[in-house]
Amino acid sequence: APTGSGKTLMAAAAVERFSQDADVVWFWFAPFKGVIAQTISFLKDECSTLRLRDLSTDRSISGCKRGDVFVTTWQTVAVKDSSQRTVRRERETAPSLDLLIAGLRDKGLRVGIVVDEAHHSFSAGTQAALLCRDVIQPDFTVLITATPDDKDIEKWQKSHDIKAISRLAVSRNDAVQAGLIKHEVNAVSYTAADEKQASLIDFEGAALKGATLMHGQIKAELTAAKIQLVPLMLVQVDSKSTDSVADAKARLLKLGFAESAIAIHTSDEPDPNLAAIANNEAIEVLIFKMAIALGFDAPRAWTLVSMRSAKSEDFGVQLIGRILRVHRRLHGKQVPGVLSNGYVFLADPEAQTGLKAAGERVNSFRTQCALVAPTTTMIVRLGSGQTEVQQIGPSGQTVLFMPDELDAKTIQPAQTEEREQDVSGHPQAVFNLEGGSAPSMTITPQNPANDNAAAITVQALTRNANGKVAAIAATAKRYSLRVSMPKQFKTSHLPDATEGLEASCAAHFFVDGNELIKAIGAKVQVNQCTLEVFTQQVQFDLFKADFDPLETARRAQEILMKNEGFHAKELKSHLIARLQVIAEQFDLIDCNASALAKLLNTLLVRDQGALLRSAQKKALAEHAVCEEAEELPSEYLSELRCDLSQRNVYGIYPNGLNNWEREFAEMLDQAPTDAVQWWHRNEVRKPWSVSMVAADGKHFYPDFVIGVNARKTNEGVLLADPKAMYDTATQAPKILAQHPVYGKALLVCKTGHADWYCVVWNEVRSKAELGPRFEWDRAKMW
C-alpha cells in the first residue's frame, strides 16, 4: 500500500486479531534502529492486547506467551560479523536468539514475523533472508511494503519453499478517498531559459526559494481553515559536500526563517530524536544530510527540497513518501486544494525522471482486497475540449490521459575550435624568420626578364630537419615597388611599460544608477517545470532565480583575465575602488569590500564584459603609441614567379595567400576605378608592418592595407582582414580594435555566400556575427 495509507496499522491489527486465536509469538522487524521507538510507541497506542518485549534485555522463554511482540531490526540479528550478533550469543541470564526460537517451539508456541519495508533488505540471499530461512523458520510471515519488487518476492518465495503467498494491495486512489494521503505530489524543477546562462543559475537557491514561498502559502491556508498546525519543510542536502548543511542553513536564514525554527539531523540512520524533531511544532525546517529514511513519518511535511542528484525510481518513491501523509488534524476535513497536495522542489531537474517513474509505480497498484467495489461513473473534461464519461472500476482507478511527450530539445553541436586553413586541403606553411641568426644571402645579377622583375641567384643558409645548417640555392624573382605608391605607413602598439593602464580602464568604467540597481537585484530567468507525479501532467511557468555566487565569481574572473594587456588582480582592485565611488554617489548599497566584489562580479557577468571591454578599449587607445613604421622594401623577392596584379603596390599577387585571401585580393583588382587606388599585403611582425592594438591588448596585423578613394584617413587607408571563420573568441578583439589613424579594421567573410559580408560585433549578444553585404561605398565610411 502507498506510504501513509496505514500499512503499519493494518499489519498491527492483523497481528493482534490473529494472536487472539493462535498461540503465536511475533518478531517485528523495523527497517532502521531509529524507527524502533516509533514502532513501539505506535503499537502501544493502537494494540492494547499485544505485549511488547525487548529482545536485547528480555529473552526469558518461561515468560513468553501468545501476543508477545519483539520489535527489532535485521541489523541486530542478521550481520556477517559474528562479534556484532549480541542477541545471537547466549548469556547467563538470557538464551541466544537461536535457543529462544527453539525454546518457544518446545513450549508449544508458534513463531511469526512482521517485516516492515520488506523490499529494503528482505530479498533472497540477504543475511536477513538466510536468518529467516535457517534459524527463525517462521510459521507465519507478514511482509509490508509501499514498493514491492515482484522479482525479489518470487526469489524469496522459491528460496523458502513457499507454495503460495496471500497478496493484499491498496491502490493510491483508495488511500486518497479515505483521506489518509494527499491527492497529488507536484515535483517542481528549474531549467535555464537561455542555455548559455545555465551555469549561472543558483538552482539550489531557486528550489529553496520556491519551497519557502509554498511553505508560507500552506501556513496561510492552515490559518484560514482554522487548523492549528505548523507545517514542516524538509530540506535534503547533498551528503557529498562537507559544507552543504551550513550552506543550506545560511540560505534559510536569509529567506526569513528564525534560527530556532531550523533543526538539523545528519546521522547515518534515524534515531528517536528525529521523530521528536518532526513532531515539535517549534521547528519549521528540518535539514537532512542523509538519504531520506524509509519509514520515517513526518505528517506535518507538505514541502520537501532535494539537492541530491539521484534519478532512480526508488529514490523518487522515498521522496514522495515523506510528504504523502495527511496529518490527523486534517482527517475528515474539507481543505483547500493547496493543502491537498505535497510539493517536492528539485535542485537537479533530471531528478524529475525518478519521480515520474515513482508516480507510475505507485499508480500501478490496484486494490486487491475489496469485496464490494461499486462501479462509478464520472464526467471528465480535459482543457477546453468536449466532455466524456469515464468509468471507475473495482480497482478504484480510472484511466489517466498521458500528455504528449515534450519534444526533445535540439542540441546544437559545440563550435569547433577555429583553425584557418586552405580550403583545398593543403596545409599552409608559415615561416617565421624572427629570432636567432638571420640567413645570409648572396645575390648575383642575371639577365633581366621580360616583366618588371629581375632574375637573381639566391644562396641562403637554412636549417634542415635535423637542425643542421645547410646552404640552398634557387633562381628568384625581384618585383620593384611601383612609382607613386605609398612607401611608409603608421603602426600602433603599446609601450613596453604600461603603468597606469588599469587605473585608466577603471576611470572609463562608468555605471549609472539604473545599472547599479539592476545589478544589485539581478536575477536569471528560468523555466519552472511542475510535474504532477501521479497524473503526469506538466506545466511550465517563468521564474526569476538568483545568480549562483560561486559560478558568477568564476565567470567574472575569466572576463578580468581575458585581456592579457591588463593585470587582472590590479584591474579588479581599481574597478572595486571605482564602484565604491559610484555607489556612494547614489547611496545604494553598503559599500563594504565583499558587497562591492559581488556587485562587480554581477556587473561583469550580466553584460558578458561589455562595459569592461568598452573601458579597456578606451584605456588602450590612451596608452597606445602611434608612429611611423619603416619604409616598405624597394623590391619584393620571390623564388617563384608571381601572378601579376593591377593594383598591388608591387604589381603582383604575393606568395603565401590562402584561398580566401587570394579571392579578396582579386576583388580589390576588380573594384571600380573610383574605389580602390592600390593595395598592399601586410606581413606580420616586419619593421614596415602595420600593427594595431586589439581589444585584448595583443598586436593585430590586418592582412591588407588598402588605399580607398574619398576615405577620410591618412592616404585613404583602410585596414582589412578576410576571414574563413569569424564567430570565434579570437576574432572578437580584432573586431573591436581601433587604429588611432586608420580607424577600425574591416573584417569580411563569405563562407557559404557568393558575396563578401562585413563582420560586426553584436554588443547585446556579446558575439561576432555577419552584418551587411560588403559594398565599396561602405568602405569609404568604415
Side-chain angles (χ1 to χ4, degrees):
T3 297
S5 57
K7 294 188 300 297
T8 305
L9 178 59
M10 286 185 270
V15 166
E16 185 174 38
R17 292 172 63 182
F18 195 83
S19 299
Q20 293 172 4
D21 299 322
D23 293 329
V24 186
V25 171
W26 296 88
F27 292 85
W28 189 298
F29 292 99
F32 298 105
K33 291 179 181 178
V35 189
I36 290 179
Q38 178 178 298
T39 304
I40 291 174
S41 175
F42 177 84
L43 292 175
K44 283 182 177 178
D45 292 341
E46 301 295 336
C47 305
S48 59
T49 64
L50 296 179
R51 189 171 66 141
L52 298 173
R53 305 279 298 278
D54 189 336
L55 190 61
S56 61
T57 60
D58 182 13
R59 298 199 294 270
S60 170
I61 298 175
S62 60
C64 289
K65 61 181 181 179
R66 71 157 67 176
D68 282 0
V69 180
F70 292 93
V71 181
T72 186
T73 65
W74 288 116
Q75 294 93 324
T76 303
V77 298
V79 291
K80 289 183 178 181
D81 187 354
S82 59
S83 65
Q84 301 296 318
R85 304 173 186 169
T86 55
V87 300
R88 300 286 300 280
R89 294 199 300 268
E90 187 174 4
R91 299 203 312 261
E92 291 184 5
T93 57
S96 66
L97 174 66
D98 306 49
L99 292 177
L100 173 63
I101 298 294
L104 291 175
R105 288 203 163 93
D106 289 342
K107 195 176 179 181
L109 294 170
R110 306 175 82 180
V111 176
I113 65 170
V114 179
V115 184
D116 198 359
E117 305 291 355
H119 63 279
H120 189 61
S121 61
F122 199 60
S123 56
T126 63
Q127 290 295 311
L130 294 175
L131 176 77
C132 179
R133 184 191 67 187
D134 300 334
V135 178
I136 301 178
Q137 299 179 357
D139 300 288
F140 310 103
T141 301
V142 180
L143 305 179
I144 311 172
T145 179
T147 55
D149 188 318
D150 289 343
K151 292 181 181 179
D152 276 348
I153 290 177
E154 289 171 4
K155 291 179 182 177
W156 176 83
Q157 182 178 353
K158 184 177 181 181
S159 68
H160 286 68
D161 194 27
I162 295 175
K163 303 303 181 184
I165 293 180
S166 299
R167 185 184 181 118
L168 308 178
V170 176
S171 72
R172 181 185 67 86
N173 186 67
D174 278 357
V176 169
Q177 295 304 315
L180 298 173
I181 64 174
K182 297 181 175 73
H183 287 71
E184 184 58 81
V185 171
N186 295 323
V188 183
S189 64
Y190 306 91
T191 56
D194 181 354
E195 284 298 320
K196 293 180 180 179
Q197 292 188 317
S199 62
L200 285 174
I201 298 172
D202 180 5
F203 287 108
E204 292 186 356
L208 282 171
K209 181 179 178 181
T212 300
L213 292 173
M214 179 55 66
H215 179 77
Q217 187 175 351
I218 289 167
K219 287 180 69 176
E221 294 286 358
L222 287 169
T223 300
K226 297 182 179 179
I227 299 173
Q228 300 297 317
L229 180 65
V230 177
L232 179 68
M233 185 167 92
L234 300 174
V235 177
Q236 183 198 30
V237 297
D238 191 347
S239 58
K240 296 178 182 179
S241 172
T242 56
D243 301 326
S244 57
V245 171
D247 180 60
K249 184 175 181 180
R251 291 170 180 266
L252 290 165
L253 291 173
K254 288 184 179 179
L255 288 170
F257 288 99
E259 186 165 9
S260 59
I262 302 173
I264 297 171
H265 188 275
T266 59
S267 65
D268 293 332
E269 289 187 352
D271 55 32
N273 187 47
L274 182 58
I277 292 173
N279 293 320
N280 181 2
E281 294 190 46
I283 302 298
E284 288 193 51
V285 184
L286 177 57
I287 302 175
F288 290 85
K289 193 182 178 182
M290 60 173 208
I292 297 179
L294 296 171
F296 165 52
D297 288 339
R300 287 198 297 131
W302 267 270
T303 56
L304 185 150
V305 180
S306 177
M307 299 181 185
R308 292 186 64 191
S309 58
K311 307 171 185 64
S312 71
E313 180 179 324
D314 288 338
F315 180 71
V317 172
Q318 292 178 33
L319 288 179
I320 292 172
R322 301 292 64 80
I323 58 171
L324 201 56
R325 299 176 186 274
V326 171
H327 197 279
R328 289 193 174 190
R329 295 180 199 171
L330 276 70
H331 285 180
K333 295 186 178 181
Q334 293 292 330
V335 295
V338 171
L339 300 180
S340 299
N341 301 327
Y343 306 89
V344 178
F345 293 83
L346 304 168
D348 180 1
E350 293 188 18
Q352 253 189 2
T353 57
L355 283 166
K356 182 178 180 181
E360 291 172 347
R361 185 200 289 187
V362 174
N363 267 342
S364 68
F365 301 153
R366 299 291 184 266
T367 297
Q368 297 178 358
C369 61
L371 299 178
V372 180
T375 298
T376 308
T377 58
M378 61 187 297
I379 303 297
V380 175
R381 174 157 52 189
L382 296 179
S384 58
Q386 66 181 21
T387 59
E388 61 179 75
V389 176
Q390 289 188 353
Q391 187 179 68
I392 302 177
S395 67
Q397 299 289 300
T398 185
V399 177
L400 296 176
F401 287 90
M402 303 292 290
D404 293 335
E405 292 295 330
L406 298 176
D407 293 334
K409 293 183 178 178
T410 301
I411 302 176
Q412 300 296 334
Q415 179 65 51
T416 57
E417 181 181 357
E418 176 198 10
R419 182 174 182 179
E420 294 190 1
Q421 62 180 21
D422 192 327
V423 293
S424 67
H426 300 296
Q428 298 296 316
V430 180
F431 298 92
N432 187 354
L433 298 181
E434 289 190 321
S437 301
S440 62
M441 185 174 294
T442 303
I443 303 177
T444 305
Q446 304 290 323
N447 294 327
N450 293 329
D451 57 22
N452 69 331
I456 60 175
T457 299
V458 179
Q459 184 174 5
L461 292 180
T462 186
R463 294 185 183 274
N464 60 24
N466 296 322
K468 297 180 179 180
V469 177
I472 61 170
T475 300
K477 296 293 183 180
R478 180 174 64 198
Y479 300 94
S480 300
L481 185 65
R482 295 164 58 191
V483 180
S484 74
M485 291 293 113
K487 295 180 174 57
Q488 192 175 26
F489 299 110
K490 298 184 184 297
T491 188
S492 176
H493 62 88
L494 285 176
D496 293 335
T498 55
E499 186 178 351
L501 184 62
E502 289 77 16
S504 177
C505 176
H508 290 291
F509 189 78
F510 179 75
V511 185
D512 62 26
N514 289 332
E515 283 297 319
L516 275 182
I517 292 173
K518 291 178 182 178
I520 292 170
K523 304 289 182 183
V524 187
Q525 184 163 289
V526 299
N527 295 319
Q528 177 177 287
C529 173
T530 302
L531 167 71
E532 292 182 357
V533 171
F534 299 123
T535 65
Q536 305 288 295
Q537 298 291 327
V538 178
Q539 177 180 333
F540 288 96
D541 300 287
L542 292 177
F543 184 84
K544 294 290 187 180
D546 292 326
F547 279 78
D548 181 270
L550 294 178
E551 179 62 19
T552 304
R554 187 190 68 79
R555 288 240 198 143
Q557 186 65 19
E558 283 185 352
I559 293 171
L560 287 168
M561 297 178 67
K562 195 169 186 178
N563 195 321
E564 296 179 7
F566 295 82
H567 188 276
K569 185 175 181 180
E570 186 177 347
L571 177 59
K572 183 176 182 179
S573 177
H574 282 286
L575 290 173
I576 289 177
R578 170 68 173 157
L579 270 184
Q580 183 169 10
V581 173
I582 297 173
E584 287 175 348
Q585 289 175 350
F586 291 100
D587 195 25
L588 289 177
I589 65 168
D590 179 14
C591 299
N592 61 64
S594 176
L596 289 169
K598 182 179 178 181
L599 179 59
L600 175 62
N601 292 339
T602 306
L603 284 167
L604 293 176
V605 171
R606 279 190 75 238
D607 67 359
Q608 301 181 62
L611 278 174
L612 180 61
R613 282 194 299 273
S614 176
Q616 288 174 329
K617 181 179 176 181
K618 294 173 183 177
L620 289 170
E622 282 184 357
H623 286 75
V625 175
C626 189
E627 58 189 14
E628 295 281 353
E630 291 187 13
E631 290 188 357
L632 297 178
S634 60
E635 295 176 328
Y636 178 85
L637 303 179
S638 173
E639 294 183 6
L640 302 175
R641 185 181 300 276
C642 297
D643 294 335
L644 300 183
S645 164
Q646 181 180 354
R647 291 173 178 158
N648 177 262
V649 294
Y650 291 100
I652 48 94
Y653 290 102
N655 295 323
L657 294 176
N658 57 36
N659 286 6
W660 56 88
E661 291 169 348
R662 175 62 182 258
E663 194 171 346
F664 185 77
E666 290 174 351
M667 184 192 71
L668 296 177
D669 276 346
Q670 298 165 10
T673 55
D674 61 345
V676 176
Q677 297 176 319
W678 50 264
W679 62 271
H680 167 58
R681 174 68 161 93
N682 186 42
E683 296 176 274
V684 176
R685 297 184 181 89
K686 299 296 184 182
W688 54 85
S689 299
V690 177
S691 170
M692 58 194 303
V693 180
D696 58 3
K698 297 179 181 179
H699 286 170
F700 167 39
Y701 296 86
D703 288 333
F704 291 89
V705 182
I706 308 168
V708 177
N709 281 320
R711 179 170 170 81
K712 295 180 180 179
T713 57
N714 186 276
E715 295 185 320
V717 167
L718 171 68
L719 304 177
D721 202 62
K723 310 302 297 180
M725 298 177 66
Y726 65 89
D727 55 347
T728 63
T730 58
Q731 301 308 322
K734 299 177 182 179
I735 300 170
L736 298 170
Q738 183 91 12
H739 193 283
V741 175
Y742 302 138
K744 288 198 307 180
L746 170 69
L747 273 69
V748 291
C749 179
K750 65 177 306 182
T751 301
H753 300 278
D755 299 316
W756 291 95
Y757 281 80
C758 303
V759 179
V760 297
W761 182 256
N762 186 322
E763 200 65 65
V764 175
R765 300 177 63 190
S766 190
K767 64 175 293 185
E769 59 186 30
L770 288 183
R773 186 167 64 89
F774 174 72
E775 297 175 352
W776 284 110
D777 286 343
R778 202 178 300 280
K780 298 175 184 179
M781 304 301 296
W782 191 261

